[in-house]
Amino acid sequence: MVKPSEAVTVWLQGGLGNQLFQLNAGFLASAVAQTELRLSSINFFRDPKRKFEIGQVAVGIERESTIQSLWHGIPYENGRPRASTRRGGLRVTTVISEARAGDLLVGFFQDQKSLTGGTENTKTRLRGVSLSPRAQAVQRMARDRVVVHVRRGDYVTLPSARESFGALSTEYYRGALESLEVSPRDAVFFSDDPAYVQEEFDVPRDSIIGASDLSSSLETLLVMGAARDIVISN
């Protein structure tokens, strides 16, 4: 077991995409600090809408125990990262290049600067994830075609998310497809609201991959990655 003082620990939060950016930042930060990498997933006990989703990508990386995480405490105060955790002596850092052994790395790391150190380690691990037979079939369907990701969910149903992010219009997706010179009927749609997509774009249900059609968000991400082009949501 790696001691917290001998590693960089990443505070995981958010959904799959956020966790992958944070994992990548952890790889880069541990390289800067020339030390081991650990993951803290205690935040998902506080956020029931999210869960730890990168288990298949983070094989072999030590996860902090619940007791250790509870001892350190939450690295936020009034919505902002603290200078250090209240207990346990971990310094909180939000900058990859300043990481050192004993730090708790906190943030989302989706900006271009956070990616300048590369993503190869993360991509290599993603390529090594085994897909279910169903996901393999969908991947073959999506390969070298245009994939359209229509996200609705909390962007539509939750006032706070709708106010912060908004939901993209049908015109946005149609305009993107036109720029790629592809008809909606020649694309593969991924959406958490298949009925909406089927009605708005007049496409058959079998060209829409719904949230329950694959076993996990990670499978969905990997299958979408086989596309020639992707029209993304916000």
Side-chain angles (χ1 to χ4, degrees), residues 10-16 18-19 22 39-54 63:
V10 176
W11 177 267
L12 295 173
Q13 56 189 319
L16 171 63
N18 289 315
Q19 293 173 47
Q22 290 153 14
L39 302 176
S40 175
S41 57
I42 190 67
N43 189 55
F44 301 118
F45 285 97
R46 299 173 56 249
D47 184 1
K49 296 177 183 177
R50 306 296 185 186
K51 61 182 179 180
F52 179 69
E53 296 195 72
I54 56 172
R63 286 174 65 184

Side-chain angles (χ1 to χ4, degrees), residues 70-156:
L70 290 173
W71 172 252
H72 294 149
I74 300 169
Y76 284 97
E77 186 172 21
N78 298 324
R80 295 180 177 274
R82 301 173 182 271
S84 64
T85 54
R86 286 179 292 178
R87 301 179 293 272
L90 290 186
R91 184 184 77 130
V92 174
T93 184
T94 60
V95 182
I96 294 171
S97 60
E98 297 177 1
R100 63 186 187 220
D103 280 358
L104 182 64
L105 187 65
V106 177
F108 289 92
F109 308 105
Q110 296 179 1
D111 58 295
Q112 194 63 42
K113 184 178 179 180
S114 296
L115 300 175
T116 54
T119 59
E120 197 54 45
N121 201 342
T122 305
K123 289 191 292 187
T124 297
R125 285 174 170 266
L126 284 168
R127 294 187 192 106
V129 174
S130 297
L131 296 176
S132 66
R134 168 60 177 162
Q136 292 177 37
V138 176
Q139 188 178 58
R140 289 191 293 270
M141 181 175 73
R143 191 174 304 280
D144 298 325
R145 295 174 67 185
V146 172
V147 155
V148 183
H149 180 221
V150 181
R151 174 174 178 172
R152 290 178 57 76
D154 56 347
Y155 281 14
V156 175

Side-chain angles (χ1 to χ4, degrees), residues 8 11 25 28 38 60 81 89 119 131 159 166 169 193 199-200:
V8 170
W11 177 267
L28 299 178
R38 300 166 75 249
T119 59
L131 296 176
S169 66
D193 192 347
E199 180 178 350
E200 290 294 318

Side-chain angles (χ1 to χ4, degrees), residues 142 144-148 180 182 224 226-231:
D144 298 325
R145 295 174 67 185
V146 172
V147 155
V148 183
L180 294 170
V182 173
M224 289 174 64
R228 186 192 80 201
D229 294 295
I230 303 179
V231 178

